Amino acid sequence: MINEKSIRVLELNKVLNQLAQYTSFSAGADLARELQPSTDLEEARGWQKETTEARELFANKTNITLGGARDVRDVSIGAQRGMMIEAAVLLDIRTTLRRATSLRRTLGRMKHQYPILAEIAEEIEECNELQDTIGASIDDNGEVKDSASPKLALIRRDLKIAFDRLQTKLNRLISTPSKALFLQESIITMRNGRYVVPIKADHKGKIPGIVHDSSASGATLFIEPLETVDLNNQWRELQLDEEKEIRRILLALSAQVGDASEQIVRTVEVLAYIDLVFAKARMGDEMRATQPILVAFRDNMGNPNHPGSTIYLKGARHPLLRGNVVPTDVEFGEETWVLVVTGPNTGGKTVSLKTVGLMCMMAQCGLHLPVEEARMTVFKGIYADIGDEQSIEQSLSTFSAHMTNTIGILRECDERSLVVLDEVGAGTDPAEGSALARAILTTLLNRHVTTMVTTHHPELKIYSVETPGVRNASVEFDLNTLAPTYRLIIGLPGRSNALAIAGRLGLDPAIIELARGMVAIEDLLADDLLDEIHRTRESMRRQNEEIVELRDEAGTLRDELQARLDKIEDERRDIINAARRFAEDEMTQFKRDLKRLRNEMQTAGMPLETVRAVQAAAEKIVELNSEPISNVIDMPDRPDWTPHLGDTVWLETLNAEGVVTEVDGTEAVIQVGSLRVRAKLDEVQQRSKSQKRQIKRGHVRKYEASAEPIMPRGKSPGLELDLRGQR
């Protein structure tokens, strides 16, 4: 069970409140707010798969919704104890069951595509008989139908007749000229459930009847005429009979709901769980989140003292921060399980701390994370002490409050836990606080607890360098703008930058120089060295980004050029083939004309020598024009190319593709599957996009020049070769 206080400190409760806003009805919202991180690896993995499947469902535009579902568990359980359910609530029960039935059948038809969601939906109880009974008795407006019982239909028929008679009698009365003089208005109204007419108070008694009410001024009396009393009584009695019959029908339907209350409760709980899964998917889509990879604790780490935990976050963004959030990269290496973050105030140390703890909790809740990539362990316990919790009522100072929390964490955590501590050892004498912080870290280190802390104590920077298993990290701060970059750097300690910040804020330079003189020379040199390291690292990072950008741009241009060359080559071959076909057609036509000319010459009786001379000349022409059209064309040489680390290349000697892992002078090491091969640079080839596409299709197009000259006689074999079914 994850510590409830840590859930509040890391603000998981706020994330769950956001999650509840993506649900469709109250039962799902309640589940979202009550969601607890799982400490079981397989359960957490199962929750992640459910969220992924739901996101795929929405991505495919599947028309599935929980609209219309209601949490009817309480009324169903109440019906089991004899409580009568109102018609509108019965309609809600039917609507909920209908939505559940539709959801189960829709997911059932797509079980091969969404097996996890379909398996959850199979637990739904359809209660078809109850649905049909409620549907036959309650209309879509939540009113009891006339067909609910024969008696109700008869009562409502008589009620309509009685109402029509009453209205006819009253209309006749107010339209009679002799009585219209006594009326305040010629209308029929109702008082105390009885139909009355308004008469002037001065004419009281002119129309015999029962006074039911009077106007505020007393000028108008509302009288039920004596001649309509019996009709009013009859209409009212039928109304009471109708109410009694409706109550009997509702009690009967409520009894049926009570009999099926267990199935209804189970159905609502399944719908609420599916609603929760759908809410996780919607929230993941909204955050452009990624499914984290959850791994078990490993036993084969490089350091035997390592607890086997894994935390790797690339491009992590805190889900509660709005606007342009700077992503954070965090990695606990195979030799590290304690990370010490240093740097100036307002630099983002606490945010990075909260991000790591919150991401672990969210992943164990089955939520996708707003990261580019994530891989982490499922912790049995996550403990956090962040913020100022001093209390006047409990006589606790900031230091006392932090220490009380830390004592509780040390008492409960173990090697399967994650501990995050903000400003460890702060709030007291710096020397004693530093010693206490180192002692706490040493205890957590020796107990193999995965830990991340923030601090201002410079001694902890040295401690992190000298102690195996502990690593420094820092948050960047731009001295030129006095603004943090919020970028977390693993492996380097940070500077407090107090003197520089004070100077840029306007503190007297003389005071700053006086303070600088009071700082140990070693500390100043260390700060200057750290500053130089940070500047050099930032410069190298920017240069590397430019190099990567230029390489990508060059690769794109190279591929575009190769694609254009491939296209030109295809067009050239098409032109050559068209020219060959044209030449063949022309030669065939020439042979026909020659044969016809020879026949005509023989028919005309020309000398045999002349005919033979013409035929010999024609055959010579045919022979000269039968030379094959070459497919060979001189193509421009490819530009010089040298393999770089990470390039995908073709190794001709192995007829295989691999990745360059090392380059040493005139040789390179190529990773081909599980093999590492050393080859000379001239044996390595670059593969263009067109060549990669050809390899993927399983063949490479080759164009060979025709080995035989075009025969002067006979029909062309054509330009197609059918090899279907052959090897």
Side-chain angles (χ1 to χ4, degrees):
M1 190 72 175
I2 301 297
N3 185 287
E4 186 66 32
K5 184 175 183 179
S6 298
I7 289 176
R8 186 178 67 257
V9 169
L10 293 173
E11 300 178 304
L12 177 65
N13 55 329
K14 295 182 180 179
V15 175
L16 297 182
N17 285 332
Q18 286 187 357
L19 177 64
Q21 297 176 7
Y22 291 93
T23 57
S24 298
F25 73 120
S26 59
D30 291 342
L31 273 187
R33 296 188 187 95
E34 296 167 1
L35 186 60
Q36 290 284 324
S38 173
T39 57
D40 181 79
L41 175 61
E42 294 306 319
E43 183 179 41
R45 282 175 173 172
W47 289 355
Q48 288 290 342
K49 290 177 182 177
E50 291 170 0
T51 307
T52 300
E53 201 169 274
R55 292 185 70 179
E56 292 174 0
L57 182 75
F58 293 146
N60 293 331
K61 308 296 183 183
T62 307
N63 187 22
I64 288 184
T65 177
L66 286 169
R70 298 288 184 272
D71 186 1
V72 293
R73 289 175 293 182
D74 290 342
V75 293
S76 300
I77 295 172
Q80 197 175 25
R81 297 193 293 266
M83 184 184 74
M84 188 188 79
I85 303 175
E86 297 295 332
V89 180
L90 286 169
L91 182 62
D92 286 342
I93 293 174
R94 177 175 178 263
T95 303
T96 301
L97 292 175
R98 287 182 64 184
R99 176 57 59 195
T101 300
S102 174
L103 185 65
R104 175 178 178 176
R105 295 178 182 179
T106 302
L107 290 174
R109 289 193 298 270
M110 298 185 292
K111 186 173 184 178
H112 63 286
Q113 192 173 1
Y114 310 108
I116 299 176
L117 295 176
E119 184 178 354
I120 296 172
E122 285 178 357
E123 300 178 18
I124 288 174
E125 301 281 353
E126 296 187 13
C127 303
N128 291 318
E129 184 178 350
L130 179 60
Q131 289 188 55
D132 295 340
T133 304
I134 296 176
S137 304
I138 311 295
D139 63 19
D140 292 339
N141 295 321
E143 301 292 338
V144 179
K145 295 180 179 179
D146 294 351
S147 58
S149 74
K151 184 177 180 180
L152 181 62
L154 184 62
I155 291 172
R156 285 183 171 172
R157 186 200 66 184
D158 294 342
L159 188 63
K160 185 178 183 305
I161 294 172
F163 178 78
D164 290 341
R165 289 176 179 172
L166 176 60
Q167 292 294 315
T168 301
K169 191 74 172 177
L170 288 171
N171 280 318
R172 188 179 299 144
L173 186 146
I174 64 175
S175 60
T176 301
S178 60
K179 295 184 179 180
L181 298 173
F182 309 130
L183 299 176
Q184 192 70 265
E185 293 180 83
S186 296
I187 61 171
I188 301 170
T189 184
M190 181 178 282
R191 289 293 186 275
N192 301 323
R194 312 282 291 190
Y195 281 103
V196 297
V197 293
I199 69 169
K200 299 174 183 177
D202 297 341
H203 299 290
K204 179 181 178 182
K206 298 295 180 66
I207 299 178
I210 302 170
V211 178
H212 285 277
D213 199 2
S214 65
S215 64
S217 63
T220 303
L221 299 177
F222 296 94
I223 293 180
E224 179 185 359
L226 289 178
E227 53 189 294
T228 63
V229 170
D230 290 340
L231 291 175
N232 248 325
N233 289 341
Q234 184 182 3
W235 176 71
R236 185 57 185 160
E237 288 171 3
L238 288 170
Q239 277 186 315
L240 295 174
D241 291 341
E242 180 192 27
E243 293 174 2
K244 188 183 299 182
E245 180 61 16
I246 288 175
R247 181 177 178 80
R248 187 194 66 78
I249 293 170
L250 293 179
L251 283 171
L253 292 174
S254 300
Q256 285 187 263
V257 171
D259 294 339
S261 61
E262 292 184 5
Q263 293 92 322
I264 295 172
V265 169
R266 186 158 54 248
T267 294
V268 173
E269 289 175 349
V270 174
L271 287 178
Y273 188 80
I274 294 175
D275 191 24
L276 173 63
V277 175
F278 284 178
K280 292 178 183 178
R282 294 189 188 98
M283 187 173 179
D285 289 340
E286 183 73 20
M287 295 190 301
R288 302 189 305 278
T290 303
Q291 177 183 349
I293 300 173
L294 302 182
V295 298
F297 282 86
R298 294 182 291 171
D299 297 327
N300 57 343
M301 303 295 285
N303 190 327
N305 294 320
H306 199 293
S309 58
T310 299
I311 297 179
Y312 171 70
L313 298 172
K314 181 181 179 182
R317 306 180 306 277
H318 196 288
L320 298 178
L321 294 179
R322 300 301 178 191
N324 188 18
V325 180
V326 177
T328 300
D329 296 341
V330 179
E331 181 176 9
F332 283 64
E334 294 189 355
E335 296 290 334
T336 304
W337 64 96
V338 176
L339 198 64
V340 178
V341 184
T342 54
N345 289 325
T346 72
K349 298 192 303 298
T350 303
V351 171
S352 63
L353 202 69
K354 283 187 173 183
T355 299
V356 172
L358 181 59
M359 291 293 172
C360 291
M361 283 190 175
M362 289 175 63
Q364 293 178 211
C365 284
L367 293 166
H368 287 183
L369 307 181
V371 298
E372 296 177 16
E373 187 179 350
R375 186 171 63 256
M376 57 186 61
T377 307
V378 172
F379 293 97
K380 300 295 183 183
I382 299 177
Y383 304 93
D385 176 39
I386 298 174
D388 186 359
E389 296 189 11
Q390 62 178 330
S391 172
I392 297 177
E393 294 179 357
Q394 299 178 19
S395 300
L396 291 177
S397 65
T398 299
F399 175 77
S400 299
H402 279 299
M403 191 50 55
T404 300
N405 293 337
T406 303
I407 292 170
I409 291 172
L410 291 173
R411 185 171 53 246
E412 298 180 17
C413 68
D414 58 22
E415 61 183 10
R416 291 293 187 263
S417 301
L418 170 66
V419 173
V420 290
L421 302 175
D422 188 28
E423 300 294 350
V424 61
T428 186
D429 177 75
E432 293 183 355
S434 173
L436 194 57
R438 280 177 287 169
I440 292 172
L441 284 185
T442 301
T443 301
L444 292 169
L445 182 73
N446 294 336
R447 289 170 58 177
H448 317 303
V449 179
T450 306
T451 305
M452 184 174 180
V453 302
T454 65
T455 183
H456 280 289
H457 293 299
E459 293 83 359
L460 287 182
K461 303 175 186 178
I462 302 173
Y463 173 84
S464 302
V465 173
E466 296 177 344
T467 309
V470 185
R471 196 176 187 190
N472 270 311
S474 59
V475 289
E476 283 187 331
F477 196 86
D478 191 341
L479 290 178
N480 295 323
T481 61
L482 289 181
T485 66
Y486 301 109
R487 186 180 294 113
L488 185 68
I489 302 174
I490 305 296
L492 286 178
R495 298 180 56 192
S496 63
N497 297 313
L499 297 179
I501 293 173
R504 293 195 179 272
L505 290 176
L507 186 63
D508 189 342
I511 298 177
I512 293 176
E513 286 302 320
L514 184 61
R516 186 179 294 276
M518 296 179 180
V519 178
I521 298 297
E522 295 81 2
D523 293 340
L524 290 175
L525 291 175
D527 275 356
D528 291 341
L529 182 59
L530 276 176
D531 190 30
E532 183 63 28
I533 291 173
H534 279 284
R535 293 179 188 276
T536 304
R537 184 183 182 280
E538 178 64 18
S539 176
M540 292 178 63
R541 184 183 65 81
R542 291 177 180 174
Q543 291 178 6
N544 185 62
E545 289 178 353
E546 292 177 0
I547 292 171
V548 171
E549 184 178 350
L550 290 173
R551 283 184 57 189
D552 292 343
E553 183 179 353
T556 302
L557 292 174
R558 183 184 65 240
D559 291 338
E560 289 178 356
L561 177 60
Q562 187 60 39
R564 292 174 62 185
L565 289 174
D566 291 344
K567 183 178 180 181
I568 292 172
E569 178 67 8
D570 290 342
E571 292 176 351
R572 186 192 66 82
R573 292 190 180 96
D574 291 341
I575 293 172
I576 291 175
N577 290 332
R580 181 185 289 116
R581 288 194 298 271
F582 179 76
E584 291 174 352
D585 293 341
E586 288 291 319
M587 190 59 63
T588 301
Q589 184 62 37
F590 177 74
K591 291 176 181 178
R592 292 197 193 99
D593 293 343
L594 178 62
K595 184 176 181 180
R596 179 178 52 77
L597 179 60
R598 185 180 60 190
N599 293 336
E600 290 176 355
M601 292 173 66
Q602 290 176 350
T603 303
M606 293 186 69
L608 183 60
E609 292 77 6
T610 303
V611 174
R612 288 178 177 173
V614 172
Q615 182 174 354
E619 289 178 351
K620 184 65 175 176
I621 294 173
V622 170
E623 181 180 355
L624 291 174
N625 286 276
S626 296
E627 293 294 332
I629 299 175
S630 175
N631 273 330
V632 180
I633 187 171
D634 293 334
M635 299 296 291
D637 294 335
R638 294 177 65 90
D640 293 338
W641 170 79
T642 303
H644 296 86
L645 291 179
D647 284 352
T648 301
V649 298
W650 181 261
L651 197 59
E652 191 68 32
T653 55
L654 295 181
N655 195 31
E657 194 174 52
V659 178
V660 177
T661 58
E662 294 181 22
V663 178
D664 182 15
T666 60
E667 293 186 341
V669 177
I670 317 297
Q671 186 76 36
V672 182
S674 59
L675 298 177
R676 290 169 60 87
V677 181
R678 182 174 291 276
K680 295 186 178 299
L681 296 184
D682 56 5
E683 296 175 346
V684 176
Q685 299 179 11
Q686 186 185 23
R687 311 302 286 175
S688 66
K689 286 187 176 180
S690 60
Q691 289 171 323
K692 291 178 181 178
R693 288 195 298 269
Q694 292 165 0
I695 294 171
K696 188 174 181 180
R697 291 195 299 264
H699 71 279
V700 181
R701 292 184 298 174
K702 294 183 179 180
Y703 299 90
E704 299 292 343
S706 176
E708 298 292 335
I710 299 174
M711 299 302 293
R713 299 178 183 274
K715 186 178 180 180
S716 169
L719 298 177
E720 293 182 0
L721 180 62
D722 193 336
L723 294 175
R724 288 176 293 183
Q726 305 300 319
R727 291 186 180 274

